[in-house]
Amino acid sequence: MDLLPISSYFPPDGRAAIADLIAAARSGRGGAVVVRGEAGIGKTTLLRHVLDAQVGLRVLWVNGAEFEADFAYAAVHQLTRPLHDRIGRLPARQGNDLSVAFGLGEGSAPSQFAVALGVLGLLSEAAGESPVVCVVDDAQWLDRASAQVLAFAARRIGAEPIALVFGLRDPHGVDELDGLPELKLSGLSDQAARDLLASGVPVPLDDRVRERILAEARGNPLALLELPRRLGPAGLAGGFGLPTPASPANRIEQSYRERVSRLSPGARMLLLIAASEPLGDPGLLWRAADLLDVKPEAGTEAEAEELIELGGRSRFRHPLVRSAVYAAASPADRRLVHGALADVTDPQTDPDRRSWHRSQAAPRPDEDVAADLLRSAERARRRGGAAAEAAFLQQAASLTPDPRFRAKRSLAAARAALEAGAFETAITLVDAAEHGPIDDAGRVEAELARGQAAFFRDGAADAVGHLIRAAGLDPGRARLYLLDALQAGLVVGRSSPACRTALQAARQAPVPPGHRTGADDLLDTLVAYLDGDLATVSVLSRMLSDTTDPLWSRRLSLAALLAVELWDFALEERFATQAVTAARSSGALMILPVGLWMRAMAAAQRGALLDASALLGEADGIAEVTGVPVHWYGHLQVAAVRGRAAEARPLIDRVLAESRARSKGMLTAMAHSAAAFYANGVADHRAALESAPLALTDGDLSTSSMALPELVEAAVRCGQDAVAREAFARLDEHTRAAGTDWALGVRAALGALLSDEPEALHAEAVARLGAGGMRTWHGRALLHQGAWLRRDGRRRESLEALRAAHDLFTTTGAEGFAERARAELAAAGEQARSVTRGVLEALTGQELNIARLVATGATSREVADRLFLSPRTIDAHLRNIFKKLDITSRRQLTDLVTQAI
């Protein structure tokens, strides 16, 4: 029976939602939706019904296949196959990387961002001719690389005539699709279910049977059609009992198994070949059938049973038919079929699929087959498919006869899985390796893999234990691993048990014999600093100055924390910029947004809020499509400097709740620090006096530069002289040791608040902070100086300093401090003059990024490549930018951006 009529039984809301998405795409507003529901609920039928009613569309359709989930880019390759002739029109990097990823060309491992942009470019090219609708059905079986690329595209098509629809079977989930709009399909209403059942069963039904079928199907359309087939005529007429209740999917699959079991051996074998060859290639299907002596009439029989469609490409009536056929087959028959498919697969044009079929056909461990899989793993690595590499290595390990090699290959597979972000798979592979004979080197690698998985799964505390155990197993590299353990502990927080454990292990690490390495020196110096030896600051500064040292490039979090701790925002910015540059060239999905967030933090610290907002917008956009957890530090700093209650307070409260719930002491300290900065900015000094000590409680790195200054000022303003002087004594130690303009300028600015003769200190603060490029602190120094000069009766000089402070705060966007400066000016008898806020303030972070890049002379295509958008999306953003800024040309935009800088 044709399934399309089922759609007429669906509630109209479901049909309308898909139709509206397509209508929006026709008008140039792209979008995506995830259609969710249990097996048989009608997802595919609904999509076909809506699309069949449309004309003038380019429809691209791909079905995720369970047996394709380990082949990198398999689904996106099939989806875009009709567009491959357009690859040559893409920018060179995108075209080259896309060709390598799809196996259409040779080259170095492709950047996943370049591949994603290439796919977006192909869809955009096609959409230039007619609206494009991409249907990705059975998305729960997408290979990871395809899921990431398609999720990336789904979030980047807002200005494209493109609709992307994912069909996802409950209860499965695809992390990459989280956050996209969803359409949940539920069972049919009772009356619609009765009508559908009646339409599918042309004979009278026994009342008891009808009610039992309705109860068992629970409104599932496919179940309503399939369950009666299981009963047969006698059962339909006489109250035949149904099996024990189970989920509709299980009942439907069992129904398919029973129907398959009634077929001839030849028809069952043909279905098994089709189930084992998910591409639906008719040439492969029939060549394998010939090898197994399956006659053509087997296909006629299977089609007559309405289980499969044979023709241009074989297609099962429903994915549950495929799984039912494969599950019902004996292991021997599966191996027989995979062996035949391996024999008929071209080893030159499709070596990886051949090696995979060979592995499934192997009845026992086979080194020759394992070696073939290793070659496939290497090809997957060159194509940038870490998940596929891990799958091939995992299968190779399982077929390796020698237990020692099997353990080594399991660890290699774990490394690849970690690179792909498949942390659970990596741990499973490590478990497998540890059950075999592994030497100390293997045990070290296992602990390191567990530590890395824990760290990136937001479990830095767990990572510490694994890294310490690795250090105990490898004395030669122990101090390197302890350095990583200490970094992980510091990220969690100084007061955490994990950090205390890491610090104690580092203290007890034996002095290495012979030549000392940079890691040895860094570990000893860092431990001494954490134990309170400020004499080590100059040593740490010298070590940090070489930003290209691999010690730092692999420990970005530690480098950033120390740069801020040592009062050197320029150094922090250099580390971040270097990380961003490296991540862009390599396509490192985990590092790029982190580097951008770090740059945003540094920009906010120097008062460049426009720069910071642009960087945050870019980082958040990338994180959204890659699943990297948001780093809140830059967001907190921007909100604190800007000083808007509606922005700062909700963000601080949200981050505090999150950090406390997850026992993240460092993040908690940073949130309190931001709260203190914000409160001082809006002259709520009592609130600052409450927040600043909370940031300083545990001595977390970076809080001495971020929170100590706020505590000093808040205590002074609240008349808490003893608290202010005690805090200043600590600040004095840190700033003198650091010796940067930022450090010494802040020391002078706050020392002036406590001094009986502050004039020289005010002057020093203004000079140092102005020279150091710290715009917000420069404004604060001018504000302090102007207020003191006013109280000293030196009105003219006072006004000069206060005007400068007000201008700085206003142009920077530090609204809270600007209001403080305005109030001081009013007290001096002058109304603050109007300072034109930058017109670019009207732009969002994304728009600001585009405006700044366009102002450099970059074309829409070049900007799109940089921001991982399509050129058409860039042009749409530019139209919005022109409208907001009341301009009409790129030249005018360049002039405005140049003036703002």
Side-chain angles (χ1 to χ4, degrees), residues 666-686:
M666 169 64 75
L667 185 57
T668 300
M670 289 299 295
H672 284 307
S673 178
F677 190 106
Y678 161 76
N680 274 332
V682 297
D684 187 356
H685 302 299
R686 293 205 172 277

Side-chain angles (χ1 to χ4, degrees), residues 58 60 76-77 79-91 94-95 98-99 102 104 115-129 132 134 160 162 861 870-872:
R58 179 74 178 262
L60 303 173
V76 76
H77 177 245
L79 179 73
T80 60
R81 189 189 295 271
L83 309 179
H84 286 180
D85 59 339
R86 303 166 188 259
I87 289 178
R89 304 181 193 176
L90 298 174
Q94 294 175 28
L98 203 59
S99 295
F102 288 169
L104 305 175
V115 173
L117 275 177
V119 169
L120 184 60
L122 288 181
L123 298 178
S124 182
E125 284 276 352
E129 299 170 4
V132 172
C134 299
E160 303 278 354
I162 300 172
R861 184 176 289 278
S870 73
R872 186 178 285 109

Side-chain angles (χ1 to χ4, degrees), residues 629-675:
V630 172
H631 285 215
W632 291 112
Y633 304 112
H635 290 275
L636 286 167
Q637 188 68 18
V638 167
V641 174
R642 190 171 282 136
R644 297 173 185 167
E647 175 185 353
R649 282 306 338 167
L651 176 62
I652 291 167
D653 291 343
R654 173 185 176 180
V655 174
L656 282 174
E658 177 183 320
S659 63
R660 287 166 177 160
R662 295 159 64 190
S663 300
K664 300 186 74 171
M666 169 64 75
L667 185 57
T668 300
M670 289 299 295
H672 284 307
S673 178

Side-chain angles (χ1 to χ4, degrees), residues 840-882:
L840 300 184
E841 289 279 348
L843 305 182
T844 66
Q846 184 76 284
E847 290 169 344
L848 182 59
N849 245 328
I850 292 169
R852 292 164 70 90
L853 289 170
V854 167
T856 67
T859 65
S860 292
R861 184 176 289 278
E862 289 167 341
V863 176
D865 194 40
R866 166 72 179 269
L867 299 182
F868 311 112
L869 298 166
S870 73
R872 186 178 285 109
T873 299
I874 296 299
D875 289 337
H877 277 301
L878 275 174
R879 288 193 291 272
N880 287 336
I881 291 168
F882 286 176

